[in-house]
Amino acid sequence: MTPHEEAAFAKFLADSFQDGTSIRELRLSEEEKQFILKTYPRSRVRPFSTDEYADGKTWYQVSLSASSQA
């Protein structure tokens, strides 16, 4: 991901969890999944589906905690 894409994805992620929800179902690319795991080392990113879409994205259950951000 370019720095611009990382910033946009970080904002999307922050917006997705801003209401205090700690678990979301998100359709992610491999790069986006790796970004979450790098940025939130204590996160859990589990495949929700084995289907991969034409754009290469797959559904994941993403669990973050407020204290997990690096």
Side-chain angles (χ1 to χ4, degrees):
M1 274 192 274
T2 66
H4 183 298
E5 290 169 331
E6 280 189 6
F9 183 69
K11 179 171 179 1
F12 162 76
L13 202 55
D15 291 347
S16 295
F17 289 92
Q18 75 177 356
D19 64 356
T21 300
S22 61
I23 298 174
R24 289 277 187 213
E25 294 169 5
L26 302 174
R27 199 166 62 90
L28 305 171
S29 68
E30 183 62 27
E31 275 187 305
E32 292 165 339
K33 180 180 91 169
Q34 292 306 318
F35 177 85
I36 292 171
L37 293 171
K38 181 182 86 176
T39 305
Y40 297 90
R42 293 176 49 205
S43 65
R44 284 184 282 166
V45 182
R46 297 183 180 165
F48 186 78
S49 167
T50 57
D51 297 333
E52 184 176 304
Y53 292 83
D55 62 1
K57 293 188 176 189
T58 303
W59 281 102
Y60 291 91
Q61 183 181 60
V62 179
S63 176
L64 302 180
S65 69
S67 62
S68 66
Q69 185 172 12

